[in-house]
Amino acid sequence: MMLLERLADRTAEHGEVAVAVVGAGFMGRGLVQQIALTPGMRVALVVARRPEIAVEAFSAAGLLEPLVSDDSAALADAVGAGRAAVTRDAAATAELEEIDVVVEATGALEFGAAVILGALQAGKDVVSLNAELDATIGHLLYAEAERAGGVYSIADGDQPGVLFRQMEFVSGMGLELIAAVNCKRNLDVHQNPDDSRPYAERDRTSVSMTTAFGDGTKMQIENAVLANITGLVPDRRGMHGVETTLDHAVADITGVLERDGVVEYTLGGDFGGGVFVIGRSEDDWVRHYLRYAKLGDGPDYLFFRPYHLLHFEVPLTIAQVVVDRHPLGKPVGPPVAEVVAMAKRDLRPGDALDGIGGFCCYGHVDTAERAEGYLPIGLAGHGRVVEPVSIDKPVPLAAVELDEEAELVALRARRDALTAART
């Protein structure tokens, strides 16, 4: 039975899935509309710093005006009666018994961590579009979900989720996974918020997020998330970044790899918003059938998906989590990849680091072993430089004084302790 059919059966027995969306920005706004279009689920609550933006999202989705309140009793009454609500109080996602699934769509590290951990500890299921947080403490989040009996999952529609589905498809046919590839059009590792502002205004995205796209940090983070749920690793720090096209991608990528089973990315080319997986078979009969299917002579084959559809695909993850009680992928073991902070300019003692999408650092994915002793990009907003670091060099942990009072730093320490215990 198809997933949405099973969701319909669940709806007939238990009612619609009540979803809380955290964030009403670029992704959150789209989620409100898409969930409203999905049979078997409803947006019961939106958490937003600016409630009027969430109200606009409901209006754009053709929904009745929601209750706007920070009063827990009023919110409970509204959501319990089937009326949507908007609040600034993120704790409501954990406190409201009627909420089934929380979708974190802010991309904010500290705030996202508080929301996700609060929801998991309350026994809620969580779907995360916050790849930045997953790359920083994802192992801890999966463990917390397991402990509390809930489900924590990355999302369909984002590159890690889309690539994971492609990998399932390819490995399900018995092919060896050679590379999972994110496709990027342009890259300037030194792009900063001043450079990004016009593009952010054009795309209606935040300046920091636009910078993280432009300097490649977002893509590096996405591939780290994928690596940690599949076991594929980067071939080298930052990956190769192969300039190629669809017609030549297989030969160009396999021609530079030093090993099989990697995460990688392309630059430029005709890939649009797509992703692809390279699979291999040395079996003569398999190659005969794939040749008949017009996939070429092999032994390496390209399986290309020409798009990833952001929030449009997230309801599929919500349905899988609720119906099947299983995430879209889960770690194969302790983390195998880390995103290392790289100096975007010469860093001098006394400089305060400004985090992902800022003026100071960009991120490069590496294996967990090679990244040891360097600053994770997720912590780059909580440090002060104490030793100089030259531009384009990895930032050693010894060169940074971390704010030990910061909650994210403490959570990362918990994640590291958990990882060490499971190694």
Side-chain angles (χ1 to χ4, degrees), residues 109-110 353-356 375-383:
L109 287 163
E110 291 81 6
L353 299 180
D354 54 0
I356 295 170
L375 177 69
I377 191 65
L379 301 186
H382 295 288

Side-chain angles (χ1 to χ4, degrees), residues 43 329 388:
V43 180

Side-chain angles (χ1 to χ4, degrees), residues 162-175:
V162 173
L163 274 167
F164 183 79
R165 296 285 193 195
Q166 283 292 90
M167 289 173 63
E168 276 195 318
F169 173 72
V170 173
S171 61
M173 292 189 292
L175 276 68

